[in-house]
Amino acid sequence: MTPPPNPVLEAVLSRRSTPRLTEPAPGRHDLERLVQAAATAPDHGRLHPWRLIAVTGDERARLGEVLGEAAAPEQARRAAAKPLRAPLLLPIVHCPVPDHPKVPDWEQLAATTGMVTMLSLLLHSHGWASIWRTGSAIQAPQVRKYLGVADGEQLLGWLYVGTRCTPGTSAERPPLDTTVKITWPDDASG
């Protein structure tokens, strides 16, 4: 007997990071709805130790200017063009609650990355594509200042969001060898 299709499983298995993105991207209403859903990712204490900054339109070029200033002179032009690779950029800011009595910093970081993972799956399941990019610019003081990243916060990178430039099926991934990633106690196999 074949099990019925499972849209969640299909989204997880078919999602791929997409380096080439074009219009359209989700609008404000759609993005807010998807972020609301992504915020249901595991988060001990429901601290929501993150925030996103929506960068669209001409703001992408202004961010590019700051990235160009932060780059080495020979890389400035290339760095300035990076925000133009997608119609929507979401700088991911990790905002941990310091010295929380029950939720250590590492667990808050896990909650932030879990939310971003969930958001990328939700975007994919709604027909958009994304890629999480980082680089040395996440540490650059002028980039942090431009984005309003405060002391105690960490810029984790950018989620580039839009529509896949070349529609179609994604490249197949080789199956994971779960025998080296899952340990079963000897008595549980029976």
Side-chain angles (χ1 to χ4, degrees):
M1 176 190 249
T2 304
N6 182 317
V8 175
L9 182 61
E10 291 306 312
V12 170
L13 291 173
S14 63
R15 191 216 61 83
R16 301 289 183 275
S17 293
T18 306
R20 292 196 170 95
L21 299 163
T22 189
E23 295 280 352
R28 183 181 193 134
H29 174 76
D30 288 328
L31 180 62
E32 288 176 354
R33 184 169 164 255
L34 294 176
V35 169
Q36 185 72 36
T40 66
D43 180 359
H44 185 188
R46 288 178 275 184
L47 300 176
H48 301 124
W50 49 266
R51 63 188 178 89
L52 303 172
I53 304 163
V55 180
T56 62
D58 293 340
E59 194 64 29
R60 295 174 306 145
R62 287 190 281 281
L63 175 58
E65 291 171 10
V66 176
L67 292 172
E69 291 170 14
E74 64 276 6
Q75 295 293 319
R77 191 169 172 191
R78 185 169 184 248
K82 286 182 178 183
L84 303 177
R85 293 179 180 172
L88 170 64
L89 271 75
L90 296 173
I92 304 157
V93 182
H94 176 55
C95 316
V97 176
D99 304 316
H100 193 280
K102 292 185 179 180
V103 187
D105 289 349
W106 71 264
E107 195 172 356
Q108 293 182 54
L109 180 60
T112 299
T113 59
M115 182 282 301
V116 176
T117 300
M118 183 85 77
L119 181 57
S120 71
L121 286 168
L122 287 162
L123 286 162
H124 171 67
S125 74
H126 283 77
W128 290 294
S130 64
I131 186 169
W132 187 341
R133 295 185 182 270
T134 61
S136 60
I138 63 173
Q139 302 294 337
Q142 58 270 56
V143 173
R144 291 175 56 85
K145 181 178 178 184
Y146 180 77
L147 292 172
V149 178
D151 290 341
E153 294 183 331
Q154 183 180 3
L155 180 58
L156 299 179
W158 293 263
L159 194 64
Y160 285 62
V161 181
T163 300
R164 186 182 303 274
C165 284
T166 52
T169 59
S170 300
E172 288 295 316
R173 288 184 179 151
L176 176 69
D177 180 3
T178 57
T179 62
V180 298
K181 294 295 180 183
I182 302 173
T183 302
W184 293 93
D186 290 336
D187 60 348
S189 62

